[in-house]
Short mmCIF file of all heavy atoms in Angstrom, two decimals:
data_model
loop_
_atom_site.label_atom_id
_atom_site.label_comp_id
_atom_site.label_asym_id
_atom_site.label_seq_id
_atom_site.Cartn_x
_atom_site.Cartn_y
_atom_site.Cartn_z
N SER A 881 214.03 142.42 131.26
CA SER A 881 213.61 141.04 130.97
C SER A 881 214.83 140.16 130.76
O SER A 881 215.81 140.59 130.14
CB SER A 881 212.78 141.02 129.69
OG SER A 881 211.88 142.09 129.66
N ALA A 882 214.74 138.90 131.26
CA ALA A 882 215.84 137.95 131.05
C ALA A 882 215.99 137.61 129.57
O ALA A 882 217.06 137.22 129.12
CB ALA A 882 215.58 136.68 131.85
N LEU A 883 214.89 137.76 128.83
CA LEU A 883 214.90 137.47 127.40
C LEU A 883 214.78 138.80 126.67
O LEU A 883 213.69 139.37 126.58
CB LEU A 883 213.70 136.56 127.07
CG LEU A 883 213.64 135.99 125.68
CD1 LEU A 883 214.75 134.96 125.46
CD2 LEU A 883 212.28 135.32 125.44
N THR A 884 215.91 139.29 126.19
CA THR A 884 215.90 140.57 125.49
C THR A 884 217.13 140.67 124.62
O THR A 884 217.85 139.68 124.43
CB THR A 884 215.80 141.75 126.49
OG1 THR A 884 215.70 142.98 125.74
CG2 THR A 884 217.00 141.85 127.43
N TRP A 885 217.38 141.85 124.09
CA TRP A 885 218.57 142.10 123.29
C TRP A 885 219.62 142.77 124.20
O TRP A 885 219.25 143.50 125.12
CB TRP A 885 218.21 143.01 122.11
CG TRP A 885 219.30 143.15 121.09
CD1 TRP A 885 220.01 144.29 120.81
CD2 TRP A 885 219.76 142.15 120.19
NE1 TRP A 885 220.90 144.03 119.81
CE2 TRP A 885 220.78 142.73 119.40
CE3 TRP A 885 219.43 140.80 119.98
CZ2 TRP A 885 221.47 142.03 118.41
CZ3 TRP A 885 220.11 140.10 119.00
CH2 TRP A 885 221.11 140.71 118.23
N ALA A 886 220.89 142.53 123.91
CA ALA A 886 221.96 143.02 124.79
C ALA A 886 221.87 144.54 125.02
O ALA A 886 222.08 145.02 126.14
CB ALA A 886 223.31 142.66 124.19
N THR A 887 221.52 145.28 123.96
CA THR A 887 221.55 146.75 124.10
C THR A 887 220.28 147.30 124.76
O THR A 887 220.06 148.50 124.76
CB THR A 887 221.81 147.44 122.76
OG1 THR A 887 220.87 146.95 121.80
CG2 THR A 887 223.24 147.21 122.29
N ASN A 888 219.47 146.40 125.31
CA ASN A 888 218.43 146.84 126.23
C ASN A 888 219.07 147.00 127.62
O ASN A 888 218.77 147.93 128.37
CB ASN A 888 217.30 145.80 126.27
CG ASN A 888 216.33 146.02 127.42
OD1 ASN A 888 216.50 145.46 128.50
ND2 ASN A 888 215.34 146.85 127.21
N ILE A 889 220.00 146.12 127.95
CA ILE A 889 220.62 146.10 129.28
C ILE A 889 221.89 146.96 129.33
O ILE A 889 222.20 147.60 130.33
CB ILE A 889 220.95 144.64 129.68
CG1 ILE A 889 219.66 143.80 129.70
CG2 ILE A 889 221.66 144.57 131.03
CD1 ILE A 889 219.86 142.33 130.05
N MET A 890 222.64 146.97 128.21
CA MET A 890 223.94 147.66 128.22
C MET A 890 223.88 149.13 128.62
O MET A 890 224.74 149.57 129.40
CB MET A 890 224.63 147.48 126.87
CG MET A 890 225.24 146.10 126.71
SD MET A 890 226.07 145.94 125.13
CE MET A 890 226.60 144.24 125.18
N PRO A 891 222.90 149.93 128.16
CA PRO A 891 222.89 151.33 128.58
C PRO A 891 222.83 151.49 130.09
O PRO A 891 223.41 152.42 130.65
CB PRO A 891 221.62 151.90 127.93
CG PRO A 891 221.31 150.99 126.81
CD PRO A 891 221.82 149.64 127.20
N LEU A 892 222.15 150.55 130.76
CA LEU A 892 222.04 150.64 132.22
C LEU A 892 223.43 150.46 132.84
O LEU A 892 223.84 151.23 133.72
CB LEU A 892 221.09 149.57 132.75
CG LEU A 892 219.68 149.53 132.13
CD1 LEU A 892 218.87 148.40 132.73
CD2 LEU A 892 218.96 150.85 132.36
N LEU A 893 224.16 149.48 132.35
CA LEU A 893 225.51 149.22 132.87
C LEU A 893 226.44 150.39 132.53
O LEU A 893 227.23 150.85 133.36
CB LEU A 893 226.06 147.93 132.27
CG LEU A 893 225.33 146.64 132.69
CD1 LEU A 893 225.74 145.47 131.83
CD2 LEU A 893 225.60 146.33 134.16
N GLN A 894 226.32 150.87 131.30
CA GLN A 894 227.20 151.96 130.85
C GLN A 894 226.99 153.24 131.67
O GLN A 894 227.92 154.01 131.87
CB GLN A 894 226.95 152.25 129.36
CG GLN A 894 227.59 151.20 128.46
CD GLN A 894 226.86 151.01 127.13
OE1 GLN A 894 225.70 151.38 126.98
NE2 GLN A 894 227.54 150.43 126.15
N LEU A 895 225.74 153.43 132.14
CA LEU A 895 225.42 154.69 132.81
C LEU A 895 225.34 154.56 134.33
O LEU A 895 224.85 155.45 135.01
CB LEU A 895 224.12 155.26 132.24
CG LEU A 895 224.22 155.63 130.74
CD1 LEU A 895 222.88 156.03 130.18
CD2 LEU A 895 225.23 156.74 130.52
N GLY A 896 225.81 153.42 134.85
CA GLY A 896 225.94 153.29 136.31
C GLY A 896 224.66 152.89 137.01
O GLY A 896 224.53 153.06 138.23
N LEU A 897 223.70 152.35 136.26
CA LEU A 897 222.49 151.82 136.89
C LEU A 897 222.69 150.33 137.14
O LEU A 897 223.63 149.73 136.60
CB LEU A 897 221.29 152.07 135.97
CG LEU A 897 220.98 153.55 135.76
CD1 LEU A 897 220.16 153.76 134.50
CD2 LEU A 897 220.25 154.13 136.97
N VAL A 898 221.80 149.74 137.93
CA VAL A 898 221.97 148.32 138.26
C VAL A 898 220.81 147.53 137.65
O VAL A 898 219.66 147.69 138.06
CB VAL A 898 221.98 148.12 139.80
CG1 VAL A 898 222.17 146.65 140.15
CG2 VAL A 898 223.06 148.99 140.43
N PRO A 899 221.09 146.69 136.64
CA PRO A 899 220.00 145.90 136.07
C PRO A 899 219.56 144.79 137.01
O PRO A 899 220.40 144.11 137.59
CB PRO A 899 220.60 145.31 134.78
CG PRO A 899 222.06 145.44 134.91
CD PRO A 899 222.37 146.46 135.97
N VAL A 900 218.25 144.65 137.15
CA VAL A 900 217.68 143.55 137.95
C VAL A 900 216.89 142.69 136.97
O VAL A 900 215.93 143.16 136.35
CB VAL A 900 216.73 144.10 139.04
CG1 VAL A 900 216.06 142.96 139.80
CG2 VAL A 900 217.49 145.02 139.98
N ILE A 901 217.35 141.44 136.84
CA ILE A 901 216.73 140.56 135.84
C ILE A 901 215.37 140.03 136.31
O ILE A 901 215.24 139.60 137.46
CB ILE A 901 217.66 139.37 135.53
CG1 ILE A 901 218.90 139.85 134.76
CG2 ILE A 901 216.93 138.26 134.81
CD1 ILE A 901 218.75 139.93 133.26
N LEU A 902 214.39 140.09 135.44
CA LEU A 902 213.08 139.51 135.72
C LEU A 902 212.86 138.35 134.76
O LEU A 902 213.06 138.51 133.55
CB LEU A 902 211.97 140.56 135.53
CG LEU A 902 211.74 141.51 136.71
CD1 LEU A 902 212.84 142.55 136.80
CD2 LEU A 902 210.41 142.21 136.56
N ASP A 903 212.46 137.20 135.31
CA ASP A 903 212.23 136.04 134.46
C ASP A 903 210.96 136.25 133.64
O ASP A 903 210.13 137.11 133.96
CB ASP A 903 212.12 134.76 135.32
CG ASP A 903 212.44 133.51 134.50
OD1 ASP A 903 212.81 133.64 133.31
OD2 ASP A 903 212.33 132.39 135.04
N VAL A 904 210.84 135.45 132.58
CA VAL A 904 209.70 135.60 131.68
C VAL A 904 208.83 134.34 131.73
O VAL A 904 209.27 133.32 132.24
CB VAL A 904 210.17 135.85 130.22
CG1 VAL A 904 210.87 137.18 130.10
CG2 VAL A 904 211.07 134.71 129.73
N SER A 905 207.64 134.44 131.16
CA SER A 905 206.75 133.28 131.10
C SER A 905 207.15 132.40 129.91
O SER A 905 207.57 132.91 128.88
CB SER A 905 205.32 133.79 130.94
OG SER A 905 204.56 132.90 130.17
N ARG A 906 206.95 131.07 130.06
CA ARG A 906 207.26 130.16 128.94
C ARG A 906 206.21 130.25 127.84
O ARG A 906 206.45 129.79 126.73
CB ARG A 906 207.28 128.71 129.43
CG ARG A 906 208.45 128.42 130.30
CD ARG A 906 208.47 126.95 130.69
NE ARG A 906 209.47 126.79 131.73
CZ ARG A 906 209.94 125.64 132.17
NH1 ARG A 906 209.49 124.53 131.66
NH2 ARG A 906 210.85 125.59 133.11
N THR A 907 205.04 130.78 128.17
CA THR A 907 203.98 130.77 127.17
C THR A 907 203.74 132.14 126.52
O THR A 907 203.25 132.23 125.41
CB THR A 907 202.65 130.25 127.78
OG1 THR A 907 202.42 130.96 128.99
CG2 THR A 907 202.73 128.76 128.03
N THR A 908 204.11 133.23 127.23
CA THR A 908 204.00 134.55 126.57
C THR A 908 205.39 135.09 126.23
O THR A 908 205.49 136.08 125.51
CB THR A 908 203.30 135.60 127.47
OG1 THR A 908 204.12 135.84 128.63
CG2 THR A 908 201.90 135.15 127.88
N LEU A 909 206.42 134.48 126.76
CA LEU A 909 207.84 134.88 126.59
C LEU A 909 208.14 136.23 127.23
O LEU A 909 209.21 136.80 127.02
CB LEU A 909 208.26 134.93 125.11
CG LEU A 909 208.00 133.71 124.25
CD1 LEU A 909 208.66 133.89 122.89
CD2 LEU A 909 208.53 132.46 124.89
N ASN A 910 207.18 136.76 127.94
CA ASN A 910 207.33 138.11 128.50
C ASN A 910 207.29 138.10 130.02
O ASN A 910 206.84 137.13 130.65
CB ASN A 910 206.20 139.00 127.96
CG ASN A 910 206.56 139.60 126.61
OD1 ASN A 910 207.13 140.68 126.54
ND2 ASN A 910 206.27 138.87 125.54
N VAL A 911 207.72 139.21 130.59
CA VAL A 911 207.69 139.40 132.04
C VAL A 911 206.23 139.47 132.49
O VAL A 911 205.41 140.12 131.85
CB VAL A 911 208.45 140.71 132.40
CG1 VAL A 911 208.16 141.14 133.82
CG2 VAL A 911 209.94 140.53 132.18
N THR A 912 205.93 138.79 133.58
CA THR A 912 204.55 138.73 134.09
C THR A 912 204.36 139.72 135.26
O THR A 912 205.34 140.07 135.94
CB THR A 912 204.24 137.32 134.63
OG1 THR A 912 205.14 137.07 135.73
CG2 THR A 912 204.45 136.25 133.57
N PRO A 913 203.10 140.10 135.54
CA PRO A 913 202.86 140.96 136.71
C PRO A 913 203.34 140.29 138.00
O PRO A 913 203.85 140.97 138.90
CB PRO A 913 201.34 141.11 136.73
CG PRO A 913 200.87 140.77 135.37
CD PRO A 913 201.88 139.84 134.77
N GLU A 914 203.21 138.95 138.08
CA GLU A 914 203.64 138.24 139.31
C GLU A 914 205.14 138.41 139.52
O GLU A 914 205.60 138.64 140.64
CB GLU A 914 203.32 136.73 139.20
CG GLU A 914 201.83 136.40 139.16
CD GLU A 914 201.14 136.79 137.85
OE1 GLU A 914 201.79 136.71 136.78
OE2 GLU A 914 199.97 137.22 137.89
#
Side-chain angles (χ1 to χ4, degrees):
S881 318
L883 188 69
T884 184
W885 190 247
T887 52
N888 167 267
I889 300 179
M890 283 181 183
L892 306 178
L893 294 168
Q894 284 152 340
L895 297 173
L897 296 159
V898 180
V900 176
I901 290 274
L902 278 75
D903 203 4
V904 294
S905 147
R906 289 183 191 192
T907 50
T908 65
L909 307 188
N910 275 269
V911 166
T912 62
E914 294 71 35

